[in-house]
Amino acid sequence: MSDTPAESSEAPDFDEMTRDIAEVPAVEVIVTVAVNLMSAAAVKLGLTEEGDKHKDLDEARKLVHALAGLLDASTTEISSFHAAPLRDGLKSLQLAFREASIVPDEPGQGPGEKYTGPIYG
């Protein structure tokens, strides 16, 4: 039985995907993952147009913590040109988390503060 055109066009082409990712520099992959984590955290913090519809502080905590860990681990791998705006975005998300929390974490205990140090706001 052969694939119909609809079936073959829907199946992922893993060989093509592997070739594509092989051509992407590591810095670009790191930055892309960081931006995706930032975007997801912003949604979970209710910072999008839809606001509270998707707000989930437990999920936001995980995403912000993962972002902080990624940025901490990649400090020596990405240039300050890339790292500075990502760190600024992380700090903004940490402050937004602190503001959104009914019972704020103690300084140094908020999401990602294990990596960044205490965030005051």
Side-chain angles (χ1 to χ4, degrees):
M1 182 172 129
S2 65
D3 289 337
T4 64
E7 288 174 343
S8 63
S9 67
E10 292 177 17
D13 183 351
F14 293 113
D15 290 337
E16 183 68 28
M17 291 168 61
T18 300
R19 279 192 299 276
D20 290 346
I21 199 71
E23 296 170 9
V24 179
V27 169
E28 190 173 326
V29 173
I30 293 167
V31 170
T32 299
V33 170
V35 169
N36 285 328
L37 287 168
M38 290 175 80
S39 298
V43 169
K44 297 298 183 177
L45 284 167
L47 301 176
T48 61
E49 287 182 16
E50 296 180 359
D52 289 342
K53 182 178 178 183
H54 301 289
K55 190 173 184 177
D56 184 335
L57 293 184
D58 185 51
E59 291 290 301
R61 178 184 292 277
K62 293 170 187 171
L63 292 163
V64 172
H65 190 75
L67 174 62
L70 174 64
L71 294 181
D72 183 59
S74 61
T75 297
T76 60
E77 306 303 324
I78 61 176
S79 67
S80 60
F81 173 79
H82 293 349
L86 295 173
R87 283 192 302 266
D88 290 345
L90 170 60
K91 184 175 180 179
S92 295
L93 291 170
Q94 289 172 309
L95 288 169
F97 184 91
R98 186 166 294 285
E99 290 175 14
S101 297
I102 295 170
V103 179
D105 296 311
E106 291 293 320
Q109 300 302 309
E113 291 182 26
K114 166 183 174 179
Y115 302 106
T116 64
I119 300 296
Y120 300 98

